[in-house]
Amino acid sequence: MAQDTISQLEDNIARKTKALRLEDRASADCLSNLKKDKWINLQLNIHVLCDQLITKLHARKFELANLEHAHASQAMDQKTKSHVEKAVKQRAPGIEATVHKYNAKQKEMLKEDAYVPPELVMEGLFNLDVDQDIWENADMVDFKGGEIPLWLANKEVRDGIRAAQEVKSCQEELRRCDVEYSNLRTWFVEEYEAVHNVFKFGNGVSLQYSFLIWKLIIMSTKMMM
């Protein structure tokens, strides 16, 4: 069935190309030259490999989600569970092979004086996180004047952006801790005043002694803060 689809696509391309050659000879010659252009072919190949890789990763993640759901609900029978586990394991070598092909094409593109997507690494790739290099699929047509922004072309700039974001996140966390610290101090003061009033207006030596112990605990806690 897949072969039939490919044959239909090839026939359709041949028919359209023939029609273009009859209508616009110059455009047909330009298209023919583009088909022989090494850089264009490298770009097409790496885009295809990237799409294949994303499809395989999505399929693996979907199967893993089903497997985890089955473990949680115990709804999947042993035969189906074994089938899913086998399918997940079988996808890993195919994904690694596709990554290897992708990186091989990427190295060929490095010889050209143009922007190329980054090399992919297996570490963390299966997670499909938003900051994975696999999503970096830009094209020169996306940039006005053909000038590539530094955040895309320069690894040091990208690392600097990530570091700046981490610093900003840490600063926000410190501000949150300051607020919690202030709230905690306020709570301790209110608790202290409440207990102080209880023992102040209460009677009995044992009650006053208990208040002194409580006061020491509160004071030591404040010193630790």
Side-chain angles (χ1 to χ4, degrees):
M1 184 176 181
Q3 188 62 41
D4 293 339
T5 303
I6 293 174
S7 298
Q8 290 176 3
L9 288 173
E10 290 176 344
D11 292 341
N12 191 28
I13 291 172
R15 187 168 58 256
K16 295 289 185 181
T17 303
K18 184 178 180 180
L20 178 63
R21 188 173 296 278
L22 293 174
E23 296 174 3
D24 189 345
R25 181 76 183 186
S27 297
D29 291 340
C30 181
L31 179 62
S32 179
N33 292 332
L34 287 175
K35 289 171 65 177
K36 300 174 184 177
D37 188 281
K38 180 182 177 182
W39 176 252
I40 295 294
N41 280 281
L42 282 173
Q43 282 189 315
L44 290 174
N45 286 333
I46 206 164
H47 277 294
V48 169
L49 288 170
C50 184
D51 289 341
Q52 290 178 353
L53 187 56
I54 291 174
T55 300
K56 291 178 181 179
L57 289 169
H58 278 156
R60 181 183 182 276
K61 197 164 188 176
F62 176 75
E63 288 166 350
L64 276 177
N66 286 339
L67 193 59
E68 291 173 359
H69 178 72
H71 278 300
S73 63
Q74 300 295 325
M76 186 180 293
D77 60 82
Q78 187 61 37
K79 184 177 180 180
T80 307
K81 178 182 173 183
S82 300
H83 175 73
V84 174
E85 289 177 343
K86 184 178 179 181
V88 171
K89 291 179 181 179
Q90 286 178 342
R91 288 196 182 276
I95 291 172
E96 292 178 5
T98 306
V99 170
H100 180 74
K101 292 179 183 178
Y102 180 97
N103 288 335
K105 293 296 180 183
Q106 189 262 358
K107 287 183 173 62
E108 290 185 48
M109 295 178 73
L110 288 174
K111 301 175 184 177
E112 305 291 339
D113 185 20
Y115 163 75
V116 295
E119 182 179 2
L120 298 181
V121 295
M122 291 301 301
E123 183 180 358
L125 185 63
F126 290 127
N127 297 330
L128 282 178
D129 292 332
V130 294
D131 59 346
Q132 288 289 331
D133 289 333
I134 193 173
W135 304 117
E136 192 175 307
N137 197 15
D139 202 330
M140 288 301 297
V141 297
D142 299 327
F143 313 118
K144 294 181 179 179
E147 184 176 353
I148 304 171
L150 290 177
W151 63 264
L152 184 60
N154 193 315
K155 184 178 183 300
E156 293 182 356
V157 173
R158 291 199 300 272
D159 292 341
I161 292 173
R162 292 191 181 100
Q165 184 60 46
E166 289 183 7
V167 170
K168 184 178 179 181
S169 299
C170 291
Q171 291 173 343
E172 292 176 353
E173 183 67 17
L174 284 173
R175 286 194 292 270
R176 188 185 66 81
C177 290
D178 286 339
V179 172
E180 291 186 359
Y181 167 75
S182 177
N183 292 337
L184 192 58
R185 283 184 60 89
T186 302
W187 177 81
F188 267 115
V189 169
E190 292 176 352
E191 289 293 312
Y192 173 80
E193 292 296 334
V195 175
H196 177 267
N197 290 332
V198 169
F199 287 108
K200 180 179 180 180
F201 298 106
N203 296 318
V205 177
S206 60
L207 196 60
Q208 293 178 2
Y209 175 76
S210 299
F211 169 70
L212 290 175
I213 298 298
W214 177 256
K215 185 176 180 180
L216 288 173
I217 294 173
I218 295 294
M219 291 179 65
S220 62
T221 306
K222 287 183 177 180
M223 291 177 63
M224 291 175 62
M225 294 172 62

